[in-house]
Amino acid sequence: MSRSKDYDEKTDHDSSVEKGAVHDYVVQQTDNRYHFDAADLDHVQRKLKQRHVQMIAIAGTLGTGLFLGSGHALQGAGPLGALIAYTLVGTTAYASLCAVGEMTSHAPISGTFPHFAARWVDPAVGFAVGWNYFYTNAISVPVEITAAGILLTFWDSNTNHQAGYTAAICVCACAINIFGVRWFGESEFVFSIIKLLLITVLIITGLVIDLGGGPNHQRLGFHVSFRFLNGSDHGRTRRASGYWKTPGPFNGADLEPQNIGLDRFLGMLSVLVQAAFSFQGMELVAIAASETQSPRRNIAKAVRRVFWRILLFYLLGLLITGMLVPYDDPNLLQDSGTAAESPYVIAITRAGIKVLPHIINAGIFTSAFSAGNSFLFCASRVLYGLALRGQAPKIFTYCTKNGLPLAAVLASSCFAFLSFMNVSNGAATVFNWFVNLSTVGGFFSWLAMNVTYIFFYRGFRAQGLDRKKLVYHSSLQPYLSYWGTAWITFFILINGFAVFWDFNAADFLTAYINIPIFFALYVGYKVVKRTKIWKPHEMDFVTGIPTVEETEIPETPPRSFKEKVFAVLF
């Protein structure tokens, strides 16, 4: 695919990152305060293939949020309430994925969406988004390592062994990232296959159990009454899905027990926030763009395919969950952190199947490890991108001859060892506070993707560039980004809404302190560097961005049956 004539006229072919030439941004001719980087500093290499990109995207999203979090969602809002919440959040996740996918299709370079924000919105926005995203991912590494260690207690309940398990998991996660992006890609490819097989087996097993195919041959049935938010069924009862009649399709948040309708609505709100956490991670495809072979074509395929797979697994998985276990099941209330709290394990255990719970716990363990592995990758690449643009210490731009940003990887790996804080009860309190501070970070990342896209869209139009000539573009834009911006802002504001029913300062700060921190980063950088918001005609869509011809390798059409199947899957 070639660019349009006016697109080519604006392109300085000597300014490519791929060629390693050094050029200033167009606007720097009049004001060098907005100098972000010297293009030849970007030394990462394109070693990830299409199958890696597809699986990296899935691996970062299908995790403990699906296997364990679905039980919390079911308990919080009921089967239909959880399904509605996940569907709504899925649309905002899709908006964010389309936005970052289209921008990455234009500029598959290091720094990804924080750099896009700095380049097309305001350098101060890019600084705030970049450091916020780095912290969110870096602190999530020890969180997932801790989760993986807890999952091992399903087999070994001796807490004295926890430190040893934690150390082993830390070393493995760091080693995979230090060995290079190809090792990371291969490991995530294997982990993703395990997770896809696991969720497929769970969905099929759930259907079999629901239809009475378990060893106890108990059919769970399909019974529901139309008792919606007002709690009234008006005498109408129809057959639909298991446990939707008793205890019902919706559950309340127990905040407004005197007003059933409002309480059930608040229950859905609580699941909205949780669902958003479960969907976060799809931006991994954009983070990896600068290290992907034929990035424009492969990222486009990933964006088109991956979201629908994830949406299918989440929504179908949630539907099966609601058919297997009632939302008031006491086993859903336990907080073991192991497979024992998974609704699938609860249903499988009651059906008399003894081996599957152990297999499920093993699969969930690989999910937690994979998520920690992916968060470490993201944190290191965003730190590297910030350093390239002078928004982080220059030492983090160091790359090995094989294209590994070693300094950024080592710095990010240090966060993994914070997981040892959970071995001590006193330190665990501090650790949990760090974790809670990052909870809104993922929302700000989604918000930045959508807001940046709106600016990107305005700039493209103002400069006469044609989005339809990009390898990937969404015909639903910019309306998708308007939708995403509105809802994600809402998610940020309601993140800690429950605190207003029983107010205490600690919970309020935990829920909302990340908002002033983000704006402090933005205002601080803006004041010190005296940056400004870019006007559409000032935005630079050319310098340091490789052309299609420089990044894309001609695609070889599949010939054999095996190659055709592989092409469809990956």
Side-chain angles (χ1 to χ4, degrees), residues 20 26 52 94 112 121-122 137 141 157 243 302 308 328 352 405 422 429-430 437 441 490 502 525:
V26 173
H52 295 141
Y94 180 61
T112 186
V121 182
D122 184 338
N137 282 273
V141 175
S157 58
Y243 294 120
W308 297 110
D328 60 354
N422 274 313
T429 302
V430 179
L437 288 180
F490 178 69
D502 184 18
Y525 192 86

Side-chain angles (χ1 to χ4, degrees), residues 301-481:
K301 286 182 180 179
V303 172
R304 291 189 183 107
R305 296 175 178 177
V306 168
F307 177 79
W308 297 110
R309 295 178 185 176
I310 293 170
L311 194 63
L312 174 66
F313 288 131
Y314 268 103
L315 294 189
L316 187 56
L318 271 172
L319 182 62
I320 298 298
T321 297
M323 293 160 58
L324 293 174
V325 182
Y327 68 70
D328 60 354
D329 191 300
N331 289 321
L332 288 176
L333 300 177
Q334 63 178 320
D335 193 20
S336 64
T338 68
E341 67 183 68
S342 169
Y344 294 103
V345 171
I346 294 171
I348 288 169
T349 301
R350 287 181 179 164
I353 304 174
K354 297 181 179 179
V355 179
L356 269 180
H358 294 274
I359 297 175
I360 294 171
N361 195 72
I364 298 174
F365 171 79
T366 63
S367 297
F369 180 82
S370 169
N373 200 24
S374 297
F375 284 131
L376 180 53
F377 175 84
C378 284
S380 63
R381 274 24 179 210
V382 168
L383 181 60
Y384 175 70
L386 286 168
L388 285 180
R389 276 86 201 181
Q391 295 180 328
K394 190 175 180 180
I395 188 174
F396 296 124
T397 62
Y398 172 75
C399 270
T400 66
K401 62 181 181 179
N402 292 322
L404 174 70
L406 184 60
V409 171
L410 292 176
S412 301
S413 297
C414 292
F415 283 82
F417 296 95
L418 289 176
S419 53
F420 283 100
M421 295 176 70
N422 274 313
V423 177
S424 166
N425 291 331
T429 302
V430 179
F431 177 76
N432 289 333
W433 222 83
F434 282 134
V435 173
N436 290 332
L437 288 180
S438 70
T439 54
V440 188
F443 292 125
F444 274 109
S445 299
W446 280 7
L447 183 62
M449 294 174 201
N450 286 282
V451 171
T452 301
Y453 180 83
I454 294 170
F455 277 75
F456 170 85
Y457 181 86
R458 290 172 53 212
F460 246 58
R461 289 190 64 182
Q463 297 187 26
L465 302 176
D466 187 0
R467 293 172 44 248
K468 294 182 179 179
K469 293 188 179 294
L470 296 174
V471 176
Y472 171 78
H473 76 278
S474 172
S475 58
L476 298 176
Q477 292 286 20
Y479 306 106
L480 270 179
S481 288

